[in-house]
Amino acid sequence: MKKFKKFLLVFLVLGIIGGAIAGGIYAYQKHQEDSLEAKVVYVSDLNYGFYEDEMTSSGYVSNDLIQNIYVEDRKIAEVKVKEGSKVKKGDVLLVYDTSEQQMQIELKELELKGVETDITQAKNEIARLKKITPVSETAEKEEEEKETEKEEEETEEEDNDTVILMQPQRKTNNAYNYIDKKAEPYACEGTMAKPFRFVCNQGCYVLGEYLNQLIEKEQIAAFEIWTGNSVKEGTLLNYWTFDGTAESKVEADSKWLVITKEQIEEEEVIEEDTEEEEEEEEETEEEDTEEESDEETYTKEELNDAIAEEEDSLTELEMTKRELEVELESLKKTQEKANVTANIDGVVKSVGDPESPSLEGTPFIEITDAEGLYVTGEISELRLDQIAVGQEIYVNSWSNGEVYTAEITEISKYPSENSEGYYGEGNMNVSFYPFTAYIEDSDGLTNGDYVDISITPMSMEEDMNGIYIEKAYVREENGQAYVYKADENEKLVKQYVQTGRTIYGSAIEIKAGLSEDDRIAFPYGKTAKEGVKVVESTDLEFY
């Protein structure tokens, strides 16, 4: 018993000594950690910035500025000025006719709705096919043999019988079954902007006599198929626009199916059947369709092929949809640019004939300025996308050495005929386009002064505001870039950032996650961890 107590006492003593040692070690380590300090530097001090070469040109100061308006290949609806009219910057000079663009927009929207409907149907078909359970090869062969026998029997019956189709009623559920000269459109002008528009059933056809009438009168009609036969609430399934100004006459008694836009074969017509018989036939057809749908079977390979075919079709439809959306957006932008305005204050020197405007490089409207000084220069076609009307440029006078600010008011759509390439952009193999800029504060300049022109590229203006720091300050973790930055508690925290291109071989662009007001630390060494206290430094060397 005494030995046990002695052993217990020794064990307790050793435990106390071990705990004291461990506590001392922990306290020492904690002291060491608390005494760690990470040097941080402002991002603004580390930022390289990025500067491309400025574009240069040269030209002459002038006080007789001219603005030339060149018309596009579009119909002019109205000219707002005449020779001798005084205009202010921003005044509307002419207005383009947008009726054709509006018609194209409406047709493109209808086409887009049709494609969207096809996409929905394709998705539903894929979902339906994926729910089908495939059958074995043996069962499929038996099914094919039955189908073959059934088809042979039907063929024999058809050979012995004459196919007789019923003459449909003119309209069913507010939609046409066929269209002749007596049909009445729900929208009626017959022009390209506002064609005759008809709501049609799925099997609707147009008689040749009506198409010929459109051709004779040079009119246009649109035959539309809507769900629920409703233009306001339905979805456009299909449409056919017939342009009577561009088509040739057809047989008067011919029939043209709206859904395919093709002529259908001659049919023997008999009198309409009774409503009761029509209903019975419709019910029979629906039952047959349901039975055929129920009997539809696929082997595993056939089912996979069918699904793959529908998915390919869906991919093509989605590509078509994107193309239509781009075309529609382009048409809308063109329509929005209906008004052409003056870029300068001045007097209208000449106005062309709106009925026959020149498209051969001759200005339709010419405006001369009465006041102010302007500078004209030229820009390489390779840099045209780097300047814009309203952009600020700098002009250095050779006569007095002063630098002036100017604003670009016009960039010509046509290249200069006699340009020899300016010394800053002297590639002789490219065309140069004239531009004009207005000098608001022109004290010290006179008409005819020769000047140098400096232009900051638009892309450069964005780069000048970017952040580019040494790659060494950025680390990666699981494919994500991060830095160590100081937080509001003066401790290091891990900050994930979005990086961009590398410049000068050693600096990387920080597109998001940092600002120039942030402070960051070198992310290597014993102080590179979260929670370490920070101390500001101006030392930009790595440590």
Side-chain angles (χ1 to χ4, degrees):
M1 187 68 180
K2 288 182 180 180
K3 288 182 178 180
F4 175 75
K5 288 181 178 179
K6 185 177 180 181
F7 174 78
L8 181 61
L9 181 61
V10 171
F11 180 78
L12 288 173
V13 171
L14 290 174
I16 293 170
I17 294 172
I21 293 172
I25 293 172
Y26 173 77
Y28 175 76
Q29 290 177 336
K30 188 74 170 65
H31 172 73
Q32 288 291 99
E33 287 183 4
D34 289 343
S35 63
L36 286 177
E37 290 184 338
K39 294 181 180 180
V40 290
V41 182
Y42 277 98
V43 173
S44 58
D45 293 333
L46 295 171
N47 189 7
Y48 274 62
F50 182 64
Y51 303 92
E52 292 183 359
D53 293 335
E54 287 192 335
M55 298 183 290
T56 59
S57 182
S58 59
Y60 293 91
V61 173
S62 171
N63 60 1
D64 55 350
L65 176 68
I66 296 175
Q67 180 187 0
N68 292 324
I69 307 298
Y70 298 89
V71 295
E72 301 173 8
D73 189 11
R74 297 166 62 184
K75 184 179 179 182
I76 298 174
E78 183 182 4
V79 178
K80 296 281 191 178
V81 296
K82 59 184 179 180
E83 288 187 20
S85 298
K86 291 183 178 181
V87 295
K88 295 285 187 182
K89 183 178 179 180
D91 285 352
V92 177
L93 304 175
L94 66 85
V95 180
Y96 286 114
D97 183 356
T98 61
S99 59
E100 185 174 346
Q101 278 76 28
Q102 182 59 36
M103 175 60 185
Q104 291 176 350
I105 288 171
E106 290 179 4
L107 291 177
K108 199 64 69 176
E109 287 174 339
L110 291 175
E111 192 175 352
L112 183 59
K113 284 184 180 179
V115 171
E116 289 173 343
T117 300
D118 291 342
I119 288 174
T120 301
Q121 292 174 346
K123 288 180 178 179
N124 292 339
E125 179 63 10
I126 291 171
R128 185 187 72 81
L129 289 171
K130 287 183 176 180
K131 292 178 182 178
I132 293 177
T133 303
V135 298
S136 65
E137 295 285 346
T138 305
E140 178 66 16
K141 287 179 180 178
E142 291 176 356
E143 186 65 29
E144 286 179 359
E145 289 173 359
K146 288 180 182 179
E147 286 293 329
T148 303
E149 290 175 3
K150 183 178 179 182
E151 288 174 2
E152 289 174 353
E153 291 174 2
E154 290 175 350
T155 302
E156 289 176 5
E157 290 176 2
E158 288 175 359
D159 290 341
N160 296 328
D161 295 335
T162 302
V163 178
I164 298 176
L165 299 178
M166 293 167 46
Q167 174 70 30
Q169 298 179 15
R170 185 186 299 278
K171 294 180 78 172
T172 304
N173 298 327
N174 298 320
Y176 281 100
N177 293 314
Y178 67 90
I179 293 173
D180 57 10
K181 290 183 177 180
K182 296 180 181 179
E184 297 180 357
Y186 71 87
C188 49
E189 282 191 18
T191 63
M192 176 62 76
K194 296 181 180 180
F196 295 133
R197 298 175 69 177
F198 298 87
V199 177
C200 306
N201 282 311
Q202 289 277 2
C204 179
Y205 58 84
V206 184
L207 291 175
E209 64 177 33
Y210 182 66
L211 297 181
N212 289 340
Q213 178 176 294
L214 292 174
I215 293 169
E216 289 169 1
K217 297 183 178 182
E218 296 186 345
Q219 294 174 324
I220 298 162
F223 310 106
E224 305 162 358
I225 299 174
W226 296 82
T227 57
N229 297 331
S230 173
V231 176
K232 291 184 178 180
E233 299 178 0
T235 300
L236 184 69
L237 299 176
N238 206 318
Y239 72 94
W240 175 24
T241 302
F242 185 87
D243 185 353
T245 66
E247 300 291 343
S248 301
K249 283 194 174 183
V250 298
E251 293 293 331
D253 58 351
S254 60
K255 298 176 182 178
W256 299 76
L257 196 60
V258 170
I259 200 166
T260 64
K261 309 176 184 64
E262 295 178 354
Q263 184 177 355
I264 56 180
E265 306 223 350
E266 292 290 335
E267 302 165 345
E268 186 179 342
V269 181
I270 64 172
E271 292 300 319
E272 289 184 14
D273 210 338
T274 62
E275 290 184 6
E276 228 175 71
E277 289 174 341
E278 286 179 355
E279 290 175 1
E280 287 176 3
E281 286 179 7
E282 288 175 1
E283 288 173 3
T284 302
E285 287 175 0
E286 288 175 0
E287 289 171 3
D288 290 342
T289 302
E290 290 174 359
E291 287 175 6
E292 287 174 7
S293 177
D294 293 338
E295 293 172 3
E296 188 177 21
T297 57
Y298 295 89
T299 63
K300 185 176 181 180
E301 184 179 354
E302 289 173 340
L303 187 58
N304 290 338
D305 289 344
I307 292 173
E309 185 178 345
E310 285 295 332
E311 287 176 340
D312 289 343
S313 175
L314 178 60
T315 300
E316 290 180 6
L317 286 169
E318 288 174 337
M319 288 179 62
T320 301
K321 179 187 175 186
R322 287 193 290 272
E323 290 172 359
L324 288 172
E325 287 172 339
V326 171
E327 292 172 6
L328 183 60
E329 184 65 24
S330 176
L331 285 170
K332 287 182 177 179
K333 286 182 178 178
T334 301
Q335 187 184 41
E336 289 170 0
K337 296 177 181 177
N339 294 343
V340 178
T341 58
N343 291 333
I344 61 174
D345 298 342
V347 178
V348 177
K349 183 179 180 182
S350 63
V351 179
D353 180 5
E355 296 300 323
S356 57
S358 173
L359 301 175
E360 301 299 324
T362 303
F364 180 74
I365 296 177
E366 191 175 23
I367 302 173
T368 58
D369 182 60
E371 298 179 356
L373 290 179
Y374 294 82
V375 62
T376 55
E378 292 186 356
I379 189 74
S380 163
E381 63 179 311
L382 304 177
R383 309 298 291 270
L384 267 178
D385 61 341
Q386 292 299 312
I387 67 171
V389 171
Q391 185 174 347
E392 193 174 82
I393 64 175
Y394 298 97
V395 176
N396 185 7
S397 171
W398 279 45
S399 61
N400 61 22
E402 295 292 328
V403 177
Y404 300 86
T405 301
E407 180 183 322
I408 296 176
T409 57
E410 183 180 12
I411 302 169
S412 176
K413 295 181 180 179
Y414 301 95
S416 174
E417 295 181 359
N418 302 315
S419 175
E420 297 179 355
Y422 283 80
Y423 59 85
E425 304 286 334
N427 187 338
M428 300 296 292
N429 298 316
V430 299
S431 297
F432 287 79
Y433 287 74
F435 65 86
T436 304
Y438 175 64
I439 307 171
E440 184 174 2
D441 184 4
S442 58
D443 290 346
L445 288 176
T446 59
N447 187 37
D449 279 354
Y450 186 75
V451 295
D452 289 332
I453 302 170
S454 298
I455 307 171
T456 301
M458 290 190 294
S459 59
M460 179 177 167
E461 292 177 359
E462 296 176 4
D463 289 332
M464 289 171 64
N465 297 321
I467 295 176
Y468 297 84
I469 62 175
E470 283 285 347
K471 287 182 179 179
Y473 279 92
V474 183
R475 296 188 65 171
E476 262 196 29
E477 179 181 67
N478 299 324
Q480 287 186 295
Y482 69 91
V483 297
Y484 281 112
K485 79 167 188 177
D487 67 3
E488 63 275 7
N489 298 317
E490 298 297 302
K491 298 285 183 70
L492 280 188
V493 294
K494 187 181 290 185
Q495 174 66 44
Y496 289 100
V497 295
Q498 180 184 350
T499 58
R501 60 180 169 172
T502 299
I503 62 170
Y504 312 133
S506 61
I508 190 166
E509 180 185 11
I510 305 297
K511 302 180 77 172
L514 274 185
S515 72
E516 288 202 322
D517 295 329
D518 287 325
R519 297 166 295 162
I520 61 175
F522 188 69
Y524 297 92
K526 60 183 180 181
T527 61
K529 53 186 176 182
E530 292 189 288
V532 173
K533 290 188 293 185
V534 302
V535 58
E536 285 187 15
S537 172
T538 57
D539 182 9
L540 303 184
E541 297 294 327
F542 302 145
Y543 49 88

